[in-house]
Amino acid sequence: MAGEVSFIEFGATDAVTARSFYGKLFGWSFKPGPGGDGYLIGGVGVPAGVHGGDEGAAPYVFFRVDDLDAAVAAVERLGGTAEPVADADGEESAAIYGEFRLCRDDQGSPFGLHRPPRH
């Protein structure tokens, strides 16, 4: 269903350090994720990941959309912004994980859009 929470992404300066912190805090498990500097998180109840190289980042909540282009157009029409996620839009990555866009609403609050893989 469009608009439901589809994915949560934690940005960190160092993904290994974040993996250690959240693993010890919540008992989460991790496996390598896309992009080479990130992990998929298990045990959180919704698909989630952590990536490095993002100093001062806040968690992103990604909302599911069926038509990513139409959702991006709506964000922009409503005064928000949207941009691709670096290294996440290759064909292989999109086939496995879907497509993502980082957005900000018309007041600057961050969120994401996620079109799940087409299986």
Side-chain angles (χ1 to χ4, degrees), residues 18-82:
R19 179 184 74 177
S20 176
F21 177 86
Y22 288 109
K24 290 174 184 174
L25 181 64
F26 296 124
W28 292 346
S29 60
F30 297 82
K31 64 181 183 178
D37 184 26
Y39 301 93
L40 298 174
I41 303 170
V44 296
V46 66
V50 62
H51 66 273
D54 200 354
E55 189 171 335
Y60 271 88
V61 176
F62 286 84
F63 298 97
R64 178 188 170 121
V65 296
D66 296 322
D67 185 333
L68 188 59
D69 293 332
V72 166
V75 165
E76 292 171 344
R77 184 178 64 252
L78 294 168
T81 62

Side-chain angles (χ1 to χ4, degrees), residues 83-100:
E83 61 185 66
V85 175
D87 300 325
D89 274 346
E91 283 186 40
E92 184 177 335
S93 180
I96 297 169
Y97 305 107
E99 295 176 88
F100 298 86

Side-chain angles (χ1 to χ4, degrees), residues 101-112:
R101 294 294 179 274
L102 297 177
C103 302
R104 291 195 177 269
D105 68 17
D106 62 343
Q107 297 183 70
S109 295
F111 68 98

